[in-house]
Amino acid sequence: MEIFSLLFNGIAEATAVTTLLATAFGAIIGLIIGALPGLGPTAGVAIMLPVAIGFGGVPALACLAGVYYGAMFGGAVTSILLGIPGDAPSVMTVLDGHPMAKKGEAGRALGMSVFASFFGGMIGLLGLVVLSIPIANAALAFGPTEMTALMCLALSLASVLGGRNPFKAFVALALGFWLGMVGLDPIAGPIRFNFGFIELFDGLDFPVIAVGLFGLTAMYTSFGSEVKKEAASFKYSNLFPRLKDAISAKWVLLQGAVIGVFVGVLPGVGATSATMMSYALAKRISKNGDQFGTGVPEGVAAPEAANNSASYSSMIPLFTLGIPGSATTAVMMGGLLMLGLQPGPLLFSNNGDFIWTVFGSFWIGNLMLVFLTLLLTPLLASILFVSTALLYPAVFATVIFGVFAIEYSMSGVFITILAGIFGLILQKLDYPPVPLILGLIIGPMLERNIRRTLIQSEGDLAVFVERPIALTLFLLTAIVLLLPVLKRLLNSRSKPVSPDPAQEIQSKT
Amino acid sequence: MNCFGLSTIRKATTATGLAMAASLLVATAEPAAAEYPEEDIQMIIPFGVGGGSDTLARTIANVIAELELLPVSIQPENRPGGSGAIGYTSVAEERGNPNVIATVSVSFFTTPLRGASPVSYKDFTPLAAISISPYIMAVASDSPLKSLDDVKSAGRLTTATVGAVSDPSLLAALTTKALDVKIDPVPFDGEGEALAAALGGHVDFVFMNPSEVLQQIEAGAMRPLAVSTANRISVLPETPTFKELGYDIEHAQLRGLVMPADVPAEAVAYWEGILKQVADSDAWREQYIERYLDEPAFLPSADYQKKIEEMNSGYKSLMEELGLL
């Protein structure tokens, strides 16, 4: 196929020394920025923009993209080791990655995340190279109506993440929705719930809340507990990655990567939602579904495969149509402009060689990251041998620095500290933090798209069922919600035993 | 801050009569120009790294450095937050300090109008505007709208804007009035999303800057109907202006710089000179105008002041119509 010969040419071109160095430089910086709590790919690419532009041409873009996908690899590191999401798309990795680390399987979890990132990256790249034009056109078919339906489907899938008490899960979800509304109402214009603070005008930054709610809460909890030296009981072999985990999680990896490609390409949706859908779907389809959240490798595989494939597919609209669909790709588009390229539908025909070489650098970068992170895994995993009495103060300082560096302002630092205290209160009252995070991510998208749809339709609700894609997604939502109920009905008819209380609760959520 | 000559002049101007001040100005014009600026210039960017405002500010700083127009250097600094309120407030608080500059953006007007900032355009001294970002009204190429006549007879249309209060929503309101057609703006979260909505046929048309939409037009994916400037723009010489077609719509974003209020007149004159040189330079043309497809322009301080007042009242009436004030 012509595409593959173009790609192999591109890979060959990308082995030029300057490009290789730029790719490695970008990937390593991305790894570090991704691992720094609070700082994610958007901040990373923006920070590196002036440096990368100095490289000129292909190396500049190879470096910027390296920062982007490197951050996707790096985000998992702190999520797993410390339970602090390194960036927004690795929040879901905390759920199983950190319990694994606590069980002494940090290396195994890190290894799983590396394999998943690599696999997701490869699928994402395949999508970028082979299917970019049909995928980009399909993404255009998603208007506000379709987005609304997709968000409903995401919420229905994610209902398995609510935990045991549906009431508390709904309360947490509603709190997330509410927090998502803070700041400027993007549709009608007024300011909501900022309580007079101009710092809240632009709303709450998701990573700031997530870092506080997961990371700081865990540290605050540790204030009240005795420092134990459980590390001695960890098995040495568990510091190393296991390829076997990746092989047994192959279907989870595949579904995660595919969800990543399709969700990542949609303008304004992004990698974080993809990880949520992937994790929730994996929990539903996996045989170990009920073990998710206790520290199973598949729970790491699902979000990590999704966020890496989404990072590549989010570049599809940028390169094929000239549309930046996310904050990170918007900064990259700024980079293209600074390099004197005009992003748009003609980019491929006008600068084909350039683009193929950049794509080539992506494959090389992805490979580099695998070896780099696999080599680093035992080293990183042994951080758990360090006593929390020494580790947490250093981590706390790093978190504060990372959050400060997002906007160079103290307001983010205060918000993250408050979010940590708030998380502690939720924990004491036994409210799950995951639905809150979910509400904070999905809530604003759901709200905006419902309101956009209703502006377009002049308030007519029929549009939601008149458009085929939206209708299909709504039907899927209904199936996802009704399936547990149907299952239970069938079960009770065939063998009338006393219903499992856990399952009963789950079907209600 | 501590340029002795300037602060003396400032005191003299306020303390004594106009004639006295004028004679002092004449007497000290030469040494003052030589002395100012003696400190590095702080350039506050009220938005994050990598955005449009950031690029504009840093390009101006680059061009000035490349052409060695200043004896001191410019230190760009991002102070994002509060939709510009935090950065602009920190500039306005430096009242009288001629060593602080900032670029103007839509939020420069709209955030204070919402009452969300303690300062407004009145707390700044305009220096000069050095380019114009026109807006192009464009439709997807498979749209039935071929001309403004089609738009006029459409009855009801939708357009994608970025945010509820922005140039495209202001232009939509102007179009509604001038063409007597109902237009509902649908606010999206970024130019990319808005463009995708137009290309996907989810809205009928968009108002966008050339750098956002010209590539789509050249690729045949979108079709321009009219431009929002007083004259036709160089990148789309075939596309008529609204005025030519008989509709009184003219609105474009001016790219310019401001200082805090009450800075000495010499500093303003000095920067007018610097910015005139920037606007006329090849470096500016190559690094900004051609790259971001803006129209070259130069408006000295007084004209820019007038435009800023006009734009402020434009946004104000838009926000009144939207019920935000």
Side-chain angles (χ1 to χ4, degrees):
Chain A
M1 269 172 85
E2 198 203 341
I3 281 176
F4 288 103
S5 74
L6 283 168
L7 178 65
F8 288 131
N9 276 338
I11 293 177
E13 293 284 323
T15 54
V17 179
T18 47
T19 310
L20 272 184
L21 284 176
T23 308
F25 179 64
I28 291 168
I29 296 284
L31 210 53
I32 296 168
I33 286 176
L36 264 180
L39 286 184
T42 312
V45 173
I47 291 166
M48 289 304 291
L49 187 66
V51 182
I53 294 306
F55 300 160
V58 172
L61 217 55
C63 174
L64 281 183
V67 175
Y68 188 8
Y69 52 76
M72 292 291 179
F73 269 81
V77 175
T78 42
S79 298
I80 291 170
L81 293 178
L82 306 165
I84 303 173
D87 50 26
S90 58
V91 170
M92 302 310 279
T93 312
V94 174
L95 302 186
D96 275 282
H98 190 50
M100 279 181 81
K102 279 202 273 193
K103 285 194 281 183
E105 298 178 333
R108 225 184 133 188
L110 284 173
M112 185 72 246
S113 92
V114 174
F115 294 133
S117 297
F118 176 70
F119 181 78
M122 283 300 167
I123 297 289
L125 275 171
L126 210 64
L128 179 64
V129 169
V130 183
L131 294 171
S132 60
I133 291 177
I135 289 180
N137 287 328
L140 288 184
F142 272 73
T145 323
E146 288 78 14
M147 294 287 193
T148 306
L150 182 72
M151 292 305 140
C152 288
L153 179 62
L155 275 180
S156 71
L157 281 173
S159 62
V160 289
L161 305 180
R164 300 229 144 214
N165 186 331
F167 172 74
K168 289 186 171 179
F170 271 116
V171 170
L173 184 72
L175 272 174
F177 277 170
W178 178 63
L179 290 176
M181 286 181 192
V182 171
L184 201 65
D185 170 355
I187 305 294
I191 308 158
R192 302 186 291 190
F193 310 115
N194 79 328
F195 303 105
F197 292 102
I198 54 173
E199 290 79 6
L200 291 179
F201 198 92
D202 291 330
L204 294 165
D205 238 352
F206 175 74
V208 172
I209 300 289
V211 165
L213 210 53
F214 284 96
L216 294 188
T217 298
M219 278 189 262
Y220 295 158
T221 320
S222 74
F223 289 158
S225 61
E226 220 177 306
V227 179
K228 285 174 293 182
K229 228 178 157 14
E230 72 248 297
S233 65
F234 290 172
K235 264 198 278 172
Y236 188 64
S237 64
N238 280 336
L239 289 183
F240 291 93
R242 287 189 200 162
L243 194 59
K244 211 178 78 198
D245 287 339
I247 293 166
S248 60
K250 55 185 179 295
W251 296 116
V252 169
L253 286 173
L254 188 67
Q255 65 88 15
V258 171
I259 287 182
V261 170
F262 285 100
V263 175
V265 77
L266 298 174
V269 182
T272 311
S273 325
T275 60
M276 286 179 170
M277 293 178 77
S278 165
Y279 183 86
L281 191 65
K283 186 173 160 71
R284 280 177 184 274
I285 60 169
S286 166
K287 277 191 297 245
N288 306 330
D290 47 345
Q291 310 256 326
F292 271 49
T294 62
V296 288
E298 284 147 302
V300 175
E304 283 301 309
N307 70 25
N308 274 67
S309 71
S311 75
Y312 292 108
S313 76
S314 71
M315 291 190 246
I316 291 177
L318 176 65
F319 286 116
T320 52
L321 302 173
I323 298 173
S326 66
T328 316
T329 49
V331 180
M332 289 186 63
M333 179 148 142
L336 284 173
L337 285 168
M338 285 183 195
L339 292 170
L341 293 168
Q342 291 292 342
L346 296 179
L347 188 63
F348 257 99
S349 41
N350 291 346
N351 305 88
D353 290 349
F354 177 89
I355 297 302
W356 283 111
T357 312
V358 169
F359 285 0
S361 83
F362 293 177
W363 293 83
I364 294 173
N366 207 13
L367 274 174
M368 278 181 185
L369 279 166
V370 172
F371 287 111
L372 205 64
T373 43
L374 282 183
L375 283 175
L376 282 172
T377 292
L379 187 72
L380 289 170
S382 49
I383 203 170
L384 292 177
F385 290 119
V386 179
S387 158
T388 48
L390 295 172
L391 190 61
Y392 277 3
V395 172
F396 192 81
T398 317
V399 166
I400 298 301
F401 168 75
V403 170
F404 178 78
I406 296 177
E407 284 210 329
Y408 302 112
S409 78
M410 284 306 289
S411 50
V413 175
F414 290 129
I415 293 169
T416 204
I417 290 173
L418 283 178
I421 295 170
F422 186 62
L424 192 65
I425 297 169
L426 287 183
Q427 199 183 53
K428 293 283 176 218
L429 298 176
D430 204 22
Y431 283 86
V434 178
L436 193 155
I437 286 292
L438 206 74
L440 191 53
I441 289 261
I442 308 259
M445 286 195 265
L446 184 65
E447 187 211 343
R448 286 167 203 196
N449 283 307
I450 291 176
R451 292 173 67 184
R452 282 175 196 144
T453 308
L454 293 179
I455 293 174
Q456 285 176 318
S457 72
E458 300 186 279
D460 181 9
L461 289 167
V463 283
F464 285 115
V465 290
E466 279 167 4
R467 300 174 65 101
I469 299 176
L471 183 62
T472 314
L473 291 170
F474 276 125
L475 288 177
L476 279 174
T477 309
I479 291 171
V480 170
L481 289 178
L482 294 176
L483 209 57
V485 182
L486 286 176
K487 242 190 210 163
R488 219 162 66 81
L489 278 177
L490 288 175
N491 278 352
S492 62
R493 199 173 298 165
S494 55
K495 42 174 178 161
V497 287
S498 61
D500 174 9
Q503 207 188 342
E504 189 183 9
I505 285 163
Q506 212 150 73
S507 62
K508 274 188 206 157
T509 33
Chain B
M1 255 297 227
N2 306 315
C3 27
F4 183 68
L6 278 173
S7 55
T8 321
I9 292 168
R10 208 187 313 148
K11 276 180 200 142
T13 333
T14 45
T16 63
L18 207 72
M20 173 71 177
S23 65
L24 237 170
L25 281 184
V26 173
T28 52
E30 273 307 302
E35 274 173 44
Y36 176 81
E38 59 180 14
E39 263 181 54
D40 277 359
I41 301 292
Q42 197 185 9
M43 178 181 244
I44 303 287
I45 304 163
F47 301 91
V49 179
S53 289
D54 184 57
T55 318
L56 170 71
R58 285 174 193 274
T59 312
I60 295 175
N62 270 352
V63 172
I64 291 176
E66 258 177 50
L67 302 176
E68 296 175 6
L69 297 177
L70 280 182
V72 294
S73 58
I74 296 182
Q75 308 289 349
E77 186 185 331
N78 296 79
R79 269 194 216 159
S83 276
I86 289 170
Y88 283 127
T89 304
S90 71
V91 176
E93 278 169 355
E94 295 290 319
R95 186 170 276 264
N97 181 353
N99 297 309
V100 185
I101 53 174
T103 52
V104 172
S105 63
V106 179
S107 312
F108 177 79
F109 303 100
T110 55
T111 307
L113 281 171
R114 285 172 203 279
S117 169
V119 300
S120 75
Y121 74 97
K122 292 183 184 133
D123 297 294
F124 297 88
T125 310
L127 299 177
I130 53 176
S131 83
I132 297 177
S133 281
Y135 285 91
I136 301 166
M137 185 191 209
V139 296
S141 48
D142 54 5
S143 161
L145 305 170
K146 309 265 186 225
S147 66
L148 282 192
D149 290 338
D150 294 341
V151 173
K152 198 174 160 58
S153 54
R156 185 230 174 208
L157 296 169
T158 55
T159 183
T161 64
V162 178
V165 182
S166 58
D167 282 335
S169 52
L170 179 59
L171 281 160
L174 295 174
T175 313
T176 299
K177 260 190 224 134
L179 275 75
D180 192 27
V181 54
K182 184 171 169 11
I183 297 171
D184 287 322
V186 186
F188 284 83
D189 290 325
E191 279 80 15
E193 282 184 50
L195 189 56
L199 286 170
H202 304 289
V203 294
D204 295 305
F205 68 89
V206 283
F207 278 107
M208 283 198 165
N209 290 138
S211 64
E212 292 153 3
V213 80
L214 191 73
Q215 284 293 307
Q216 307 292 339
I217 292 170
E218 283 177 0
M222 295 196 76
R223 183 170 56 233
L225 296 184
V227 292
S228 72
T229 39
N231 303 308
R232 290 192 182 201
I233 58 176
S234 51
V235 290
L236 283 176
E238 308 286 303
T239 308
T241 66
F242 280 101
K243 292 231 156 149
E244 270 178 62
L245 297 171
Y247 302 107
D248 187 26
I249 299 172
E250 188 197 326
H251 177 78
Q253 193 58 43
L254 286 164
R255 308 289 176 195
L257 287 175
V258 291
M259 266 187 186
D262 297 338
V263 292
E266 292 72 33
V268 176
Y270 180 86
W271 275 90
E272 267 180 347
I274 298 281
L275 291 172
K276 176 85 181 119
Q277 281 170 277
V278 171
D280 290 342
S281 70
D282 286 345
W284 173 248
R285 189 170 48 75
E286 280 161 22
Q287 291 175 33
Y288 198 81
I289 302 289
E290 286 177 3
R291 204 170 280 173
Y292 300 97
L293 308 168
D294 266 15
E295 291 292 295
F298 182 78
L299 261 74
S301 176
D303 296 359
Y304 190 28
Q305 170 85 50
K306 243 173 63 195
K307 277 281 176 198
I308 283 181
E309 280 162 17
E310 263 176 50
M311 280 157 93
N312 194 68
S313 62
Y315 291 118
K316 194 170 171 213
S317 55
L318 170 70
M319 291 169 74
E320 275 163 359
E321 273 168 44
L322 292 173
L324 293 173
L325 293 182

